[in-house]
Amino acid sequence: MSPDSKPILNVSKVVKRFGGFYALDGLSFHVVSGEILGLVGPNGSGKTTAINVISGLYAPDGGEIVMDGVSIGGMASHKLVHRGVNRTFQVPKPFMSLTVRQNIEVALAYGRAAVTPPTTEALLDEYRLAEVADRPAADLNNVQQKILDLVRALATRPRLLLLDELAAGLNPTELDWIAERIKALAQTGIAIIVVEHLMGFIEHITDRVIVMNAGKEIFEGKLAVAVQVPQVIEVFLGGEHAA
Amino acid sequence: MPSSLKHLLFMVVPLVVIFAVLPGVYQNHLLLFNFVIFLILAQGVNIIYGFTGYLPFGYVGFFGAGAYGFAIMVMQYQTPAVLAVIVAGLVGVALGLLLTPLLRLSGAYFAIANLAASLAVLHFVANPALESVTRGPYGVALSGTFDPNMAYAAAVVVMALTLVFVVFLKNSRFGLALQAVREDSVSASMAGVDVVRMRVIAWLASALVAGLAGGVYAWYVSVFYPDNVFSGDFSIFAIVFALFGGVATITGPIIGVIMLYGIYNLIGFTAPQYFQLIYGLLIMGLVLFLPAGLVSLATRRGWHVP
Ligand SMILES: Nc1ncnc2c1ncn2[C@@H]1O[C@H](COP(=O)(O)OP(=O)(O)OP(=O)(O)O)[C@@H](O)[C@H]1O
Ligand SMILES: [Mg+2]
């Protein structure tokens, strides 16, 4: 990644409150096209909330979110999707009573992809869902549902992809496979933010990480460096003891 | 052959033809008319409940508003009946627009708010202060347009249009997106679907259907009171018929109306004293054993039900 490439997304001093509780408390970071950025931190540090705010599920209560030079904070989700943002969910959320194929078709039909999206068949094959294509999504196991979330996102041709614990629950073979898929996607120029607790996985695929604690970033840089920073070690050990 | 064409040819056309010729061979014209009305209303419930998940407990509000829209056009402006039916549909849509804020609610809250709204419309229409416009609680008598045969034909046309719209929903990306919204609105927005817009369109479409049905009903009966056309029975029956057959399909509500309304009338004729009991047991059985309707007997086996 060249240091002078312009960020596709710039998050600055974003605040998100739930009642009096600050889930995001002045979070700032950026990501550039083709980069895989890790977002790590203990449980409850605000990773999912950050994704929810960037993808339009919640409007920020302060700060600014800029994509391609346009302020997108508080914009409706479907409009963000049309601008090239998409995501997966920590707990997968497919359309349960629709078939796998229909799940994908909705996103193909309504995603308004700027570039021609791949066909349903290509996506089904590439993401190993061809065999279950005509089954309702409710019949899939948790891993398949996560993959379906990812495929739905990809059908809209995102330029910024937010993955919330996509790898949790995958077996080692599946982990290797999904790691390669994510890297290949980044190579096509997609900016990818990966939220994950599996440090080995983060180490393997990310260029850079943001370590979050209590709603703000406490470290930015290589994971290998992060694990030597006392503040980061403290947060993680503290978090584990608390958990 | 595309499936939408199949659905039109093998379901909509036969049903419309059957109801078009039945009056020639069967004497009970009113009963046939009521069947057509419930086929329309059950599909209207299907549009809003089956495709979006909003349970319209006050669905009759649109029906009654349509009936009074028809009556006012005929009484105050002496318009031809067909034009008054169209206005009835538009009155349904206007009421739907007025009630769009209800779509912010969900589940039982929506159902209850919708019920309350239909009662509010009833009391508004039945208000003696509005006697000069609606005849208030004293009811209307529209002798000038009385023509059961034409009104019946109009009902069959409205039924045909409603069925065509449901066939469209069942076969289009639009209908698929509506179902996606019903399943998970957050995920639907991440598929690029404008959730609010979709819900409003489905809501107004089902309001239009009920408004038109109310218009042809007013035309047919020509004498009615507010309590008749705002009777909660219309909502309950339409919902039960649609659910009994199975929503989000074309066939489910049709099967539901033919079977349940058929049984309803059979019991009514042969054993009126057991009517409530048998009907109640049937509905309980449905809720307990077939919550997704009769069509789920087939879908559970992996068969596709149009
Ligand atoms: N909708 C909400 N209403 C109230 N509080 C919320 C809401 N969403 C998140 N929170 C709170 O905000 C904090 C951050 O939650 P978030 O889900 O972002 O954490 P996370 O970093 O994703 O944690 P995990 O690793 O467990 O997924 C938590 O304390 C959580 O309870
Ligand atoms: Mg989380």
Side-chain angles (χ1 to χ4, degrees), chain B residues 133-151:
Chain B
V133 186
T134 65
R135 300 275 195 280
Y138 314 111
V140 297
L142 310 167
S143 48
T145 52
F146 184 68
D147 186 346
N149 290 324
M150 281 306 288

Side-chain angles (χ1 to χ4, degrees), chain A residues 181-201:
Chain A
R181 301 306 326 145
I182 294 173
K183 285 203 242 172
L185 288 169
Q187 235 131 57
T188 67
I190 306 180
I192 304 180
I193 298 177
V194 179
V195 168
E196 206 59 68
H197 286 289
L198 305 168
M199 288 306 150
F201 186 79

Side-chain angles (χ1 to χ4, degrees), chain A residues 73-142:
Chain A
M75 206 178 264
S77 288
H78 68 276
K79 291 193 179 142
L80 291 169
V81 169
H82 298 157
R83 285 178 167 270
V85 181
N86 220 311
R87 64 172 293 176
T88 65
F89 294 90
Q90 188 167 344
V91 178
K93 286 161 75 72
F95 308 119
M96 291 293 181
S97 77
L98 303 188
T99 66
V100 169
R101 190 186 299 279
Q102 288 175 322
N103 266 266
I104 302 170
E105 280 167 357
V106 176
L108 283 173
Y110 282 81
R112 295 197 202 159
V115 211
T116 316
T119 63
T120 310
E121 299 310 321
L123 285 167
L124 286 168
D125 278 339
E126 193 174 350
Y127 288 89
R128 301 179 175 174
L129 293 170
E131 276 179 18
V132 290
D134 294 308
R135 298 252 294 277
D139 286 0
L140 305 188
N141 64 38
N142 186 265

